[in-house]
Amino acid sequence: MSTEPQHTPYQKPALEFKSSTFSVPVLIPYTNDLTVIEHQLQQKINQAPEFFRNSPILIDLQELNKQSISLNVAECIELLRRLALLPIGIRGGLHDQNEAALALNIPKISAQQNISHQDTAQKLEKIIPEPEPEPETSEQPSTRIVTNPVRSGQRIYAHGDLIVLSQVSAGSEIMAEGNIHVYGTLRGRALAGIQGNTEARIFCSDLQAELISIAGNYKISEDLDESVRNKPVQIYLNDLALIIQDL
Amino acid sequence: MARIIVVTSGKGGVGKTTTSAAIAMGLAKKGHKTAVIDFDVGLRNLDLVMGCERRVVYDLVNVINGEAALNQALIRDKRCNQLYILPASQTRDKEALTIEGVGKVLEELAKEFKYVVCDSPAGIEKGATLAMYFADDAFVVTNPEVSSVRDSDRMLGILASKSKRAENNEEPIKEYLLLTRYSPDRVKLGEMLSVEDVQEILSLHLLGVIPESKSVLNASNSGIPVILDEKSDAGQAYDDVVARYLGEDRPHRFIDEEKKGLFGKLFRSK
């Protein structure tokens, strides 16, 4: 008994709660016809199967419910899972839709834009700013430098900028919340501004990438013009269009 | 202290076992006490290529499980008394291997041997990862074609991140590229990647190029490591590889078509 109170003050906490923001693809259906949704979704996935495989996804029903079109949420979730997507939340759903989602362990995410009640809006304002500044000031985005080749199958994530001094092999993936610089050949996938920073850029000395993406706007290898391949380029976003420019 | 060499590739059928047998024999013939271990539990092949399949009593899994002493399981080669073979079990699968067990066996071997060559199975699963986990050097065996090159690249990533050296933050595994089944004629016809292509993709130190050769198949079938066939091009290429690994400076051969001199090589247009 007597040792316990002595020990507890020195114990390191086993866990900690932090608030953190992520960018997650949001699926906004415009119809409740699941066969049509499946068909068009499959087409999208076929364009970049690796990009979508096991990707988290949020279902946004605001548009549909505005038009009073009711979607069967349970079937929709089942459809997404069948296509190897991982639904992680539902937004803008009606009460019974939220219940149906919850029954499949999919939580309701509050639809911030549509909140009209002032008090809830204030509550949100209060809740969000408080925990946010702390982690951001304590974890300053730092530049990550990689000197070895990034090999097929490896994934590299940088909270700030990412600089790779060697090559990035086909079948690898490099991601950064900031800019990406590759001083070798870029053959793998490069995703800059992965948390939604549209100002992020990708620089590489030899573009042969499988996929390039800035803030979620991506291009696959097949869509890259021959005129930009195999040479030093920079890639940036202009009005949600990826611009690839010679260096 | 012994050097542990893993012969690995990711892809199957590229020549790992042939290479393991050849370099183990090559090192032993140079007077270094060498052991070669077959990690391909369930698909035992090394004993065939080494020509000792009729002398297998105990195997790697027996030693790991404590059913046999290491000395009981090691088979001494009849052609070179510096070479020992530790065969794989054919009746088990790779789940029989444990990291502690493999570590113990290698530690024990390291006391007695100068070089321990680990013949990795194909794939990136347990057998392959255990074969490379304790390695000091890695011979990455690659064929001049895209799928093999990509698999080798994947293997290099695993070597750099999941080995004991990587986990303990020690000096990383030394990686060497061994290009096997190379056919200059077919490279010229554009049917095969060239040495330069492969090196550009993998950016790795080239230890040697082994030409596609009938002598390799003959050697495997008769259980004689191809390095002992001194007249064959593949045998000579492996001899070069062993010499280069041991620090000797030998020029690369078998990269260009026959009867083509140094000038052809230097002034070859792309």
Side-chain angles (χ1 to χ4, degrees):
Chain A
M1 276 294 280
S2 63
T3 55
E4 250 179 59
Q6 277 184 333
H7 268 273
T8 35
Y10 300 104
Q11 242 168 21
K12 274 192 181 172
L15 52 85
E16 180 178 13
F17 277 104
K18 276 193 176 176
S19 158
S20 156
T21 47
F22 295 96
S23 69
V24 173
V26 177
L27 179 78
I28 307 173
Y30 293 127
T31 166
N32 62 354
D33 187 341
L34 286 167
T35 24
V36 177
I37 293 178
E38 173 163 14
H39 180 67
Q40 295 192 4
L41 193 56
Q42 186 67 60
Q43 281 181 339
K44 275 263 180 247
I45 291 172
N46 287 345
Q47 287 174 5
E50 281 301 320
F51 184 78
F52 283 106
R53 185 170 302 144
N54 297 333
S55 163
I57 194 156
L58 188 80
I59 307 166
D60 189 333
L61 298 175
Q62 284 177 67
E63 284 298 316
L64 274 189
N65 287 334
K66 252 187 230 166
Q67 300 166 40
S68 309
I69 304 173
S70 154
L71 178 85
N72 186 328
V73 171
E75 281 179 17
C76 180
I77 289 168
E78 193 202 327
L79 163 71
L80 294 177
R81 286 182 175 157
R82 202 165 58 233
L83 294 174
L85 291 162
L86 299 170
I88 55 152
I90 176 169
R91 177 164 89 172
L94 302 171
H95 178 74
D96 54 333
Q97 288 176 323
N98 293 342
E99 289 294 308
L102 199 59
L104 291 164
N105 294 330
I106 304 293
K108 181 184 88 178
I109 314 275
S110 44
Q112 285 168 335
Q113 295 145 329
N114 264 24
I115 288 167
S116 47
H117 303 295
Q118 276 222 322
D119 51 307
T120 39
Q122 273 175 348
K123 236 195 240 167
L124 268 175
E125 256 177 65
K126 259 190 199 169
I127 294 166
I128 294 170
E130 266 186 273
E132 278 283 285
E134 257 199 279
E136 276 195 10
T137 43
S138 59
E139 283 174 41
Q140 277 191 342
S142 56
T143 300
R144 182 165 177 192
I145 300 179
V146 176
T147 50
N148 292 325
V150 182
R151 300 292 185 185
S152 186
Q154 288 184 319
R155 303 179 90 191
I156 306 258
Y157 191 98
H159 290 286
D161 285 1
L162 176 64
I163 299 175
V164 181
L165 295 172
S166 186
Q167 61 173 2
V168 177
S169 292
S172 67
E173 199 167 59
I174 53 173
M175 294 163 282
E177 289 170 22
N179 306 306
I180 291 178
H181 304 253
V182 179
Y183 291 96
T185 307
L186 172 59
R187 295 195 183 89
R189 295 153 173 263
L191 299 96
I194 200 156
Q195 298 284 14
N197 178 4
T198 51
E199 297 297 306
R201 293 186 179 208
I202 299 171
F203 305 87
C204 66
S205 60
D206 186 352
L207 179 68
Q208 299 179 24
E210 290 174 346
L211 180 144
I212 45 169
S213 161
I214 293 172
N217 301 278
Y218 68 91
K219 250 190 187 165
I220 53 173
S221 177
E222 207 176 68
D223 298 337
L224 292 180
D225 200 79
E226 279 305 320
S227 64
V228 297
R229 278 174 197 274
N230 306 315
K231 60 164 99 165
V233 293
Q234 67 158 326
I235 300 149
Y236 60 93
L237 211 51
N238 188 8
D239 286 338
L240 296 183
L242 279 180
I243 310 290
I244 305 175
Q245 202 174 60
D246 288 9
L247 276 181
Chain B
M1 195 58 194
R3 274 315 268 184
I4 298 173
I5 303 168
V6 62
V7 178
T8 187
S9 72
K11 198 172 183 299
V14 294
K16 284 181 296 296
T17 301
T18 301
T19 299
S20 301
I23 60 165
M25 179 60 85
L27 289 165
K29 268 185 28 174
K30 297 230 178 228
H32 304 293
K33 198 170 178 192
T34 304
V36 54
I37 311 177
D38 191 350
F39 272 84
D40 207 348
V41 175
L43 295 166
R44 190 176 91 192
N45 280 161
L46 182 70
D47 53 327
L48 290 170
V49 177
M50 294 294 299
C52 64
E53 73 277 8
R54 293 158 73 180
R55 297 163 58 207
V56 176
V57 183
Y58 296 110
D59 56 54
L60 176 61
V61 174
N62 291 135
V63 179
I64 286 177
N65 292 346
E67 294 151 5
L70 188 55
N71 284 333
Q72 288 177 291
L74 283 171
I75 304 170
R76 177 189 279 214
D77 190 88
K78 282 187 172 167
R79 295 151 296 209
C80 180
N81 61 9
Q82 296 282 44
L83 181 60
Y84 290 78
I85 298 116
L86 182 54
S89 173
Q90 182 72 349
T91 52
R92 311 289 185 90
D93 61 35
K94 280 149 187 101
E95 293 309 307
L97 297 175
T98 59
I99 197 155
E100 300 82 18
V102 171
K104 243 181 80 191
V105 170
L106 287 174
E107 199 183 317
E108 217 174 311
L109 284 170
K111 283 181 205 154
E112 238 184 286
F113 290 89
K114 182 86 188 293
Y115 292 102
V116 179
V117 178
C118 303
D119 180 22
S120 167
I124 51 171
E125 279 75 41
K126 202 172 179 186
T129 46
L130 278 178
M132 63 108 216
Y133 184 77
F134 296 96
D136 302 304
D137 300 315
F139 285 18
V140 179
V141 182
T142 307
N143 286 171
E145 48 102 15
V146 282
S147 56
S148 173
V149 172
R150 177 172 293 190
D151 289 358
S152 294
D153 197 54
R154 178 88 171 97
M155 208 61 222
L156 286 162
I158 295 172
L159 284 168
S161 59
K162 295 201 178 131
S163 66
K164 187 178 164 209
R165 280 171 174 265
E167 282 176 8
N168 295 347
N169 264 328
E170 293 169 39
E171 195 189 325
I173 295 177
K174 268 208 188 105
E175 299 152 345
Y176 301 95
L177 174 63
L178 210 62
L179 206 52
T180 55
R181 311 194 66 167
Y182 194 76
S183 162
D185 302 347
R186 297 188 62 190
V187 171
K188 206 180 173 204
L189 290 171
E191 295 172 352
M192 238 182 211
L193 296 177
S194 69
V195 179
E196 292 84 5
D197 292 339
V198 177
Q199 270 198 288
E200 200 202 308
I201 299 173
L202 294 179
S203 43
L204 207 59
H205 177 73
L206 180 70
L207 195 62
V209 176
I210 314 297
E212 172 85 71
S213 167
K214 263 189 253 165
S215 57
V216 172
L217 194 61
N218 289 340
S220 294
N221 286 339
S222 52
I224 302 164
V226 69
I227 198 166
L228 293 176
D229 185 355
E230 283 160 18
K231 285 198 203 78
S232 74
D233 45 1
Q236 291 173 23
Y238 274 118
D239 193 59
D240 285 355
V241 165
V242 172
R244 277 188 213 113
Y245 173 71
L246 293 173
E248 224 176 287
D249 191 16
R250 288 199 191 175
H252 284 287
R253 295 194 276 171
F254 313 110
I255 291 180
D256 294 300
E257 287 171 275
E258 281 175 62
K259 297 180 198 100
K260 210 169 189 183
L262 184 66
F263 280 92
K265 185 178 164 186
L266 285 175
F267 297 118
R268 186 171 47 167
S269 57
K270 245 194 169 178

